[in-house]
Every structure is written in C-alpha cells, then in structure tokens.
Amino acid sequence: MDQYREHNTGPGEKMTDDAGFKISNDRWSLKAGRRGPLLFQDSHFYRKQSRFSRERIPEKVVHARGFGVYGDFETYKSMKHVTRAHFLQEAGRKTPVFTRFSNFIGSSGSKDTAVDIRGFATKFYTQDGNYDNLALQFPVFILADAMKFMDVTHAAKPNPKTHIPQATVAHDSFWDYVVSNPESAHMVMWLMSMRGRPRSWRMMAGWPINTFRFINDHGKSTFVRFKWIPKLGVHSLLLDEANIIGGVDPDFHRRDIIEAIEKGAYPEYELGVQLIDEEDEHKYDFDVLDDTKLWPEEVIPVETIGKLTLNRLVDNFFAEEEQSSFDPASLVPGINFTNDPVLQGRAFAYRDTDYHRLGTGNINEIPVNKPISETNYNNRDGFSKYRIDVDSVDYHKNTLAGNTPAETPPEEGGYAHYPQQVDGHVTRDRPSESFYDHFSQARLFWNSLSIVEKQDLTDTFNYHLGYVKSKPIRQLNVEMWANVDYEMACTIADNIGVERPKGTNVQVSKSSPAISQANTPHYAATQKVGVLIDNGFNGEEVRNTLDYLHQCGVFIEIVSEKLGTVTGSDGTKVDVHETFKTTYPVLYDSLYVVGGRPDNEAKFTQSMLEFVNEAYKRYKPIGVATTGDNFIHSSQANNLAGVVFTANNPNFGDDFVKAIAKQRFWNRT
C-alpha cells in the first residue's frame, strides 16, 4: 500500500489542481468586477466544487456503518492434509489482512452499539490472490435461502413512509417478518441475547455462517465452517448501557479499537475450523447446508489453526475503509463452494452490489482491494481505471500474443471448482426436510444460557416487542416464541399486553456449553477504569494503585471537575483526561473512587454519587480509595458485591484487578 500513500502537507508542499498545475488563489472566486457575478471560466472553482459534490458514493444498503483496520494472520500448523490453500500450508506463515467490522441495519451515521447483526469481514492478501472471509457475530443466519435477502432487509430497515426508526428492529415490520418467516427464530434468539450487544469488537466472536469445502492436493473434499475466537473472551453491554452509549458516544466501538491499537494492545482472534467428512454429510440431525443451524461444538469440535492480529489503523477512512469491497466468492485454490443455498446467492449478490455502489468494474484496482499476487486479465476500461494496460491484444484465445495470458491447470495452482455430482429435477424445494425444523436449535440455544442470560434475553424481547404497535403481531410473536420456551413466552405476554400462548415448547433437552458467555475467558487487560478524583487525594496510595493497573494492562481514564491536573496530599500530580461534563459512567467497565477536597464539594459529591450509583446498579466492579469511603456505604439493602475497599486491605491492588477481570457481579443487591 505504501506506493499509494501521498502527503499533501509539509515544508515546501505547494497546492496544485488534480491535473498538476499550481494554484495561485484558493480563497476567492473569479468575478466580473470586484462585486460582479462569478465567471464560468473559473475552472479552479468548477473543478473544486464539482469534485466536492462527488465526494460521497452510494451508501451500502446493509453494513453501511463500519470501520476497518489492517493486521496479519499467522498459521499455527499445516492444514495441508485437508486444503491446498497457500496461506494454510505451513506453521508460522504470515499473511497480511484487512478486517472490517460493521452494523447491518443502520445508516453510516447511526450508532455503533445498536442491537444488530454485526459483520466481521477479513480480506487475506494471499500469494494465490485475495480470499475474503465474511463473518457475523452469530453462527447462524436469519434466512435459509438467498431469495429472501431483499425481504428481510426491507423488514429490518426504517419504515418507507416515515423513514424511522433508525438502527433498530424495535418496530412492527421486523416482527411481522419474524412470525411470517419462522426460520428466523434461531438467529433472532442470538440477536436478542447479550451477543447482540458486544462490549467491543475486540470481544466479539465471528462466524462466516456458510458451509464451504476444503479441497486438498488429492482432490478430497471436506465440509468446513470457520469461527473467529477473540482472545479476550466474548463480553457484552447491558441493554440500557447500549442504548445510552449510542446517544452519548455513537462511535464507542470504533473509538475503543483505535485506543487499543494506539496503545499497542492489539486485538487478537484465533481462527477455528469445524470439519465434516464428505461421507458424513447426512449423519446429523441438522442439514450441514442449512445456515439457520449451527454445528454444535460438542458434536463437531472447533480446531484452532491460526491467529489474527489487528495492529495498524487506516490512513484515510474513505480511500481504504469506505472503498473496501468484500465478496464471499473471492476464494483461493483449496477453498471451494458447497450447495449452501445462502452461499450460492451471496456469491452473486456482493460483487454485483459493489459494482453499483463503487460505480466501476475496476473494484480490485482500488488499493485496499488490490491483490498482492500478480494479476493478468483481458478486462478493459470503465470508470476509475487506474491500471494502464499496454497490450494490443486483449482477448482469449489468440495467436498474436502466444495465447497469453494463459490458463493455469489446477495441478499448477489454477482455481477449479469441485467436481461434485449434480442430479435431480429443476425445483424450488428446500434441500431437505430438516430445513423446516425451525425451533429445535432455538430451544438448544435457550437451554444453553445461564439464568442471568435468560433473564436478559427475555427483557430484550420485552423491550423490542414493546415498540410493536400492532397487537395481533405481538400476539403472534408470543405464540411463536412459545415453541422455544413456554415460560419465556408467558413472561413476554404478561409484559406486552397480550394473551398467554396456547402452545408449548418443542421437546429438546440438549444444550451446548459453548453458547453461554458465562463460559468465556475473563481478563482485566484493556478493561477501562474511570478514576474519580480531585485535589487532596492520598498520593502514595493512588500512585501505587494506578501503577499496578498499568502493569496489568488496564486502561485508565482520569475524571474530575476540571481539566488540567489534580494534586495529592504529598504533591503527586495526575493529569485529568475527562470532566464529569464530558464523560458518562456507562463508558467505563469499572470505577476507582478516590475523591479528594474539591472547590465545590456539593457539586463534586453529586457527580461522584451519580457515577457510583450508575456503576453499582449495572453490576460493575468498584474500587474505593481511603479518601472515597464516604461515597459508598453498606446497608441492609445492598451487599456491596464487587466493591473493593483500600482501607485495612494490604491486597487491594490484586483484589481490585481480580474484580475488574470478573466484569459483572450478578449476585449484587
């Protein structure tokens, strides 16, 4: 990418037109007389304004709000026995990547923290060409056939008459779609769960949802699904946190990943694969081609094969992030299609969409999309053509150029589709009867959740269905969700003003521990602690605590009444990053309550109590300095679970860091 980076500023740099001539006046338009009308011959104004008028390209229909970063992928071990993919051939091989995180529903100007389907798309710049791995934060999709792409998108988007609401499924159209298309049940369970509200992209898993094939050097096919596993574990926001943060900091997720990369705490994810031998295609109680079904990890284990590290920010958001293009049909030799009905449709839809959105067929000439491998083809011309093709022959086959560019046989690295047998009648039938089983895995999902997660999911249903104006649609939803869990559906019915359901849940008792976030890793590293402080704090005590938090990789933000510095009783000075006016308690994973002797004690106390109360009611860890005891007290109404006091505690640092790592104290009263 270095050859495409340009600096427009710096010593000696002169302003030019995009054609290269120097500009003498970029401040005033050319006029007929000092107070006269503008002249059409002012070519600099015309070019400047008309070029500015074209700075925006059509917004993505879905996944419009996104952010991309660069990194690399390192293979842990050779996967040569199942795939000939070059980047998976040997342990230690590194491949450059570009990864884009995105939201499905909202516009590019919406909020990061919406309850939404999120994209996790990774472009591998391999020696065999670009490989695009397009994941979501759920292992299942909302539809089983690509025919419904338009329908579910229309249903989830704002009302076409009023163009509201933005970036939410809390409206009639979506829930009408859900009850009318019950194959959506499984993914909607994931969406309404904590998984629909990630704390950070750094703490979000990813699944490409589709079933692909690995092909090895002997032509053997193995079904494969992929999974991205965040090294920090999978963690989430509470529903009210996500809603509030969306208003006070709509850029919360992108700000989070920028901060982490700038501090050298690079986001890391392991790539896992689930493999099914071709001959075992029909041995399970689900169809391996059905994207509304997951492959339970207890049945088909996840094998980790490499690690993705994101370590570099883009230099220009538009040129790199906004113009990035991902296509599930961008595969490399060794990774191939299956008859997965959603994958078959995606293979057409993504590139076709970007031909329209980017306005050109030359998508892969845009630097962020450009392969690192050699490219030779007979494509020519079109909008935004950067490459200068100097050949006089641009067709195949030919004799004038020795029939070049020449084909490459598969045994020499050419891409070839798997020669699967195809038979049967032309039909619109589902691939198998199990495609009609809409509720067994949705029930498995419910069975796998902890008590806290079940309560959270039910509350999230109550919230979203509470916005549905149509009582019949609310009633139909209650009847539908009774198929998943009768008691859950009854609770929802009681909260949204409709009758309890007549039916009951499917008789599935299986569960999958891998689904519950209660079983995810927990670390204090990169958790953000808000330090509430003012002048007069115990300098040595606070200094030691902050130093220890830094050593443990905890992110720290100092919050006080005013910007500048605060001074401790021993002269220790601490720089203030935010004031109580410029930040909010929901933006912190934990608080360190220090206190001090402020100029306006009443105002300071009010702010401190607001922050402490907000953190306490959301189950977050709270550390209390000796000068902060008066801001939180035990009583018969609370048990102070997760509150760690410095007073009479020589192990305060360790205890506080352990509390930060735990992240939520669900037993708090």
Side-chain angles (χ1 to χ4, degrees):
M1 299 292 288
D2 287 343
Q3 61 181 309
Y4 298 102
R5 293 191 175 89
E6 298 284 351
H7 287 286
N8 296 300
T9 60
E13 298 287 359
K14 302 294 185 182
M15 180 182 290
T16 71
D17 182 88
D18 58 9
F21 61 79
K22 293 183 176 65
I23 303 301
S24 62
N25 191 317
D26 189 53
R27 293 158 290 128
W28 297 100
S29 302
L30 195 66
K31 296 179 285 293
R34 189 173 183 179
R35 299 174 62 80
L38 274 60
L39 296 179
F40 189 69
Q41 70 188 57
D42 189 349
S43 60
H44 177 51
F45 167 76
Y46 167 74
R47 291 186 179 189
K48 181 179 180 180
Q49 179 58 44
S50 60
R51 178 64 182 80
F52 171 70
S53 300
R54 291 161 175 79
E55 278 191 0
R56 295 295 174 265
I57 62 177
E59 183 175 282
K60 288 176 181 284
V61 176
V62 293
H63 296 284
R65 183 167 182 81
F67 192 79
V69 293
Y70 292 98
D72 58 64
F73 176 81
E74 181 177 2
T75 302
Y76 282 164
K77 56 187 176 183
S78 173
M79 296 300 291
K80 189 174 184 178
H81 60 291
V82 289
T83 179
R84 62 188 294 192
H86 180 272
F87 72 103
L88 296 176
Q89 292 302 288
E90 61 185 44
R93 176 167 291 173
K94 288 193 174 182
T95 303
V97 302
F98 179 76
T99 295
R100 182 179 190 263
F101 301 97
S102 59
N103 286 16
F104 175 84
I105 302 172
S107 68
S108 61
S110 60
K111 59 186 180 182
D112 285 346
T113 58
V115 175
D116 201 354
I117 308 167
R118 283 174 174 77
F120 184 157
T122 302
K123 185 182 298 293
F124 293 76
Y125 302 99
T126 86
Q127 296 299 317
D128 285 339
N130 289 352
Y131 164 52
D132 290 349
N133 181 292
L134 286 81
L136 303 177
Q137 92 268 38
F138 312 133
V140 293
F141 203 36
I142 198 167
L143 45 84
D145 191 288
M147 183 66 80
K148 293 185 177 182
F149 276 157
M150 182 186 78
D151 303 298
V152 70
T153 301
H154 283 182
K157 286 287 189 176
N159 184 290
K161 290 179 66 174
T162 61
H163 204 60
I164 58 173
Q166 175 63 240
T168 180
V169 293
H171 56 86
D172 290 46
S173 298
F174 178 78
W175 293 99
D176 178 35
Y177 177 90
V178 168
V179 295
S180 304
N181 298 270
E183 72 267 30
S184 65
H186 191 191
M187 201 212 75
V188 171
M189 288 290 288
W190 286 79
L191 178 64
M192 293 293 103
S193 77
M194 290 182 172
R195 298 268 188 170
R197 297 171 254 117
R199 156 62 180 85
S200 164
W201 293 325
R202 301 179 292 115
M203 304 167 195
M204 182 180 82
W207 290 267
I209 70 163
N210 296 127
T211 300
F212 292 89
R213 277 190 171 94
F214 271 161
I215 310 293
N216 67 12
D217 283 333
H218 304 292
K220 184 180 185 302
S221 167
T222 305
F223 290 116
V224 59
R225 281 195 180 183
F226 300 94
K227 179 183 180 181
W228 291 109
I229 307 161
K231 295 281 279 184
L232 291 174
V234 178
H235 303 285
S236 298
L237 299 168
L238 301 181
L239 178 60
D240 73 319
E241 282 180 318
N243 288 336
I244 295 169
I245 291 172
V248 300
D249 186 7
D251 306 312
F252 182 73
H253 284 151
R254 61 188 65 196
R255 199 184 306 278
D256 170 88
I257 203 167
I258 291 169
E259 179 182 18
I261 291 175
E262 288 181 338
K263 289 184 175 180
Y266 300 135
E268 294 180 331
Y269 312 80
E270 288 187 313
L271 179 62
V273 293
Q274 291 175 287
L275 303 173
I276 294 178
D277 289 335
E278 189 96 3
E279 55 268 27
D280 292 336
E281 178 178 359
H282 302 293
K283 79 179 268 190
Y284 303 99
D285 61 0
F286 55 87
D287 195 313
V288 300
L289 302 182
D290 185 353
D291 292 336
T292 69
K293 311 292 195 302
L294 55 78
W295 295 3
E297 294 183 19
E298 294 75 23
V299 179
I300 303 108
V302 175
E303 178 183 1
T304 56
I305 64 172
K307 183 177 73 172
L308 170 67
T309 303
L310 302 178
N311 51 27
R312 183 165 64 83
L313 301 171
V314 299
D315 291 312
N316 182 279
F317 179 83
F318 178 83
E320 297 169 273
E321 199 286 333
E322 187 65 20
Q323 290 195 116
S324 65
S325 175
F326 294 87
D327 179 1
S330 289
L331 303 175
V332 290
I335 304 176
N336 218 302
F337 293 96
T338 65
N339 291 339
D340 174 334
V342 176
L343 175 59
Q344 293 284 317
R346 293 177 91 198
F348 162 77
Y350 279 66
R351 179 52 63 95
D352 183 64
T353 298
D354 275 355
Y355 281 153
H356 165 70
R357 190 179 71 87
L358 294 171
T360 178
N362 298 311
I363 290 171
N364 285 341
E365 292 189 31
I366 299 170
V368 70
N369 303 318
K370 190 176 176 63
I372 61 172
S373 56
E374 181 181 355
T375 55
N376 300 298
Y377 43 70
N378 291 318
N379 300 332
R380 291 295 184 269
D381 307 337
F383 288 111
S384 301
K385 181 69 177 175
Y386 308 118
R387 170 173 162 152
I388 302 173
D389 295 297
V390 298
D391 309 281
S392 58
V393 175
D394 56 2
Y395 50 89
H396 184 85
K397 297 170 57 174
N398 66 71
T399 56
L400 291 176
N403 202 27
T404 59
E407 298 168 333
T408 302
E411 57 270 18
E412 296 178 16
Y415 191 89
H417 291 269
Y418 180 69
Q420 63 173 322
Q421 182 177 343
V422 178
D423 55 26
H425 299 284
V426 174
T427 179
R428 292 190 186 274
D429 287 346
R430 295 282 177 98
S432 68
E433 287 303 309
S434 65
F435 271 70
Y436 292 95
D437 178 6
H438 305 314
F439 301 111
S440 291
Q441 284 206 350
R443 174 69 178 176
L444 177 142
F445 180 82
W446 173 260
N447 292 342
S448 305
L449 300 182
S450 67
I451 293 174
V452 169
E453 289 172 311
K454 287 180 177 179
Q455 181 62 57
D456 176 89
L457 185 149
T458 305
D459 289 344
T460 306
F461 267 118
N462 291 337
Y463 173 86
H464 285 82
L465 288 169
Y467 277 91
V468 173
K469 304 301 182 185
S470 168
K471 188 173 182 179
I473 296 298
R474 298 201 304 272
Q475 185 68 58
L476 286 170
N477 266 275
V478 165
E479 301 296 342
M480 173 174 163
W481 296 112
N483 290 284
V484 177
D485 187 76
Y486 176 76
E487 294 298 331
M488 176 188 74
C490 288
T491 302
I492 295 171
D494 293 345
N495 278 274
I496 63 173
V498 297
E499 298 295 321
R500 288 190 166 199
K502 298 178 179 64
T504 190
N505 49 263
V506 295
Q507 297 305 302
V508 174
S509 59
K510 291 186 292 187
S511 64
S512 171
I515 288 174
S516 175
Q517 290 185 211
N519 301 319
T520 197
H522 288 70
Y523 302 100
T526 78
Q527 291 285 295
K528 180 171 280 189
V529 174
V531 181
L532 312 182
I533 195 169
D534 212 305
N535 295 310
F537 58 89
N538 184 319
E540 181 181 8
E541 174 191 306
V542 171
R543 187 170 60 249
N544 290 339
T545 298
L546 296 185
D547 287 345
Y548 189 66
L549 293 178
H550 276 298
Q551 292 172 28
C552 295
V554 176
F555 290 175
I556 295 170
E557 202 158 81
I558 309 298
V559 183
S560 191
E561 278 294 312
K562 302 174 184 177
L563 292 176
T565 60
V566 288
T567 305
S569 55
D570 63 350
T572 297
K573 293 188 179 296
V574 176
D575 291 333
V576 176
H577 305 129
E578 298 285 350
T579 71
F580 291 116
K581 289 285 189 184
T582 61
T583 191
Y584 299 84
V586 290
L587 302 179
Y588 301 102
D589 302 301
S590 177
L591 294 181
Y592 178 34
V593 181
V594 177
R597 295 193 299 273
D599 295 335
N600 187 334
E601 186 171 351
K603 184 179 178 183
F604 181 77
T605 298
Q606 181 181 359
S607 298
M608 292 285 286
L609 291 175
E610 177 186 350
F611 270 67
V612 170
N613 291 337
E614 290 292 306
Y616 191 86
K617 75 179 185 180
R618 295 188 177 92
Y619 314 101
K620 295 182 178 182
I622 299 173
V624 185
T626 54
T627 50
D629 284 352
N630 58 318
F631 296 107
I632 187 164
H633 305 281
S634 63
S635 71
Q636 292 183 343
N638 64 42
N639 61 9
L640 298 188
V643 180
V644 184
F645 292 90
T646 306
N648 304 314
N649 184 1
N651 299 316
F652 171 75
D654 282 334
D655 291 345
F656 187 31
V657 167
K658 289 176 182 176
I660 293 170
K662 189 170 181 180
Q663 301 184 23
R664 306 274 187 184
F665 288 81
W666 301 113
N667 63 330
R668 178 178 290 168
T669 58

